[in-house]
């Protein structure tokens, strides 16, 4: 079965209560459950992981290189703007990479305008809220670059 990995970076465990005016009222569990359903309908297996730790996210990306994961959908959260190490890990992954942000980072503070991960991402979705994850999964399941 085709496999996708969804990675959520730091503080995304707080979704639903964290600045809902920016990030919405849905919890991470709500978002993940919708992805599980969508994947099942498309005949894909999706795994969702959240970590507040850069090294753990890197370990998960490295593991995905070896277990046949076809695509990584990643919201690196604040690490988007700081982490060369996550970029390097993604550069070593051969499948598709879609970067997702709930908020439109380009309408926010200038430090959020730069993304290391975008240097590797095949696609970037920002500002669509939780719908962005579902759009990313749809693109992954449809195949192509
Ligand atoms: C975010 C945007 C980042 O700038 C921020 O640090 C986050 C969430 C988003 O989903 O909009 O934690 O990635």
């Amino acid at each position: 079965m085709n496999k996708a990995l969804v990675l959520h970076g730091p503080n995304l465990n707080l979704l639903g209560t964290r600045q809902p005016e920016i990030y919405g009222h849905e919890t991470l569990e709500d978002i993940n459950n919708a992805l599980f359903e969508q994947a099942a309908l498309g005949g894909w297996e999706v795994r969702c992981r959240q970590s507040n730790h850069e090294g753990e996210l890197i370990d998960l990306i490295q593991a995905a290189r070896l277990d046949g994961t076809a695509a990584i959908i990643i919201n690196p959260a604040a690490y988007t703007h700081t982490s060369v190490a996550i970029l390097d890990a993604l550069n070593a992954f051969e499948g598709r990479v879609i970067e997702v942000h709930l908020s439109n980072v380009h309408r926010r503070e200038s430090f959020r305008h730069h993304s290391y991960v975008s240097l590797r991402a095949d696609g970037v979705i920002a500002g669509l809220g939780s719908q962005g994850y579902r759009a990313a999964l749809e693109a992954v399941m449809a195949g192509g670059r």
Side-chain angles (χ1 to χ4, degrees), residues 1-9 32 35-36 39 44-51 56-76 89-90 93 95-100 133 136-137 140-141:
M1 192 186 273
N2 285 317
K3 289 199 285 196
L5 173 64
V6 178
L7 287 179
H8 307 283
N32 290 341
L35 294 174
F36 293 140
W44 276 60
E45 179 192 322
V46 79
R47 282 169 302 130
C48 300
R49 298 280 182 276
Q50 187 276 331
S51 179
E56 193 176 347
L57 293 165
I58 291 164
D59 288 344
L60 289 162
I61 295 166
Q62 288 189 7
R65 293 175 72 213
L66 307 174
D67 70 3
T69 297
I72 295 177
I73 295 167
I74 182 168
N75 182 347
L90 290 169
F93 172 75
R96 281 176 100 195
V97 175
I98 314 287
E99 176 182 350
V100 172
Y133 287 98
L137 183 58
V140 159
M141 294 194 303

Side-chain angles (χ1 to χ4, degrees), residues 59-112:
D59 288 344
L60 289 162
I61 295 166
Q62 288 189 7
R65 293 175 72 213
L66 307 174
D67 70 3
T69 297
I72 295 177
I73 295 167
I74 182 168
N75 182 347
Y79 289 140
T80 307
H81 319 298
T82 64
S83 182
V84 176
I86 289 177
L87 170 63
D88 285 349
L90 290 169
N91 276 333
F93 172 75
E94 287 181 358
R96 281 176 100 195
V97 175
I98 314 287
E99 176 182 350
V100 172
H101 300 284
L102 293 152
S103 65
N104 180 357
V105 282
H106 300 289
R107 205 164 68 176
R108 301 181 62 194
E109 302 95 322
S110 59
F111 67 83
R112 296 185 203 275

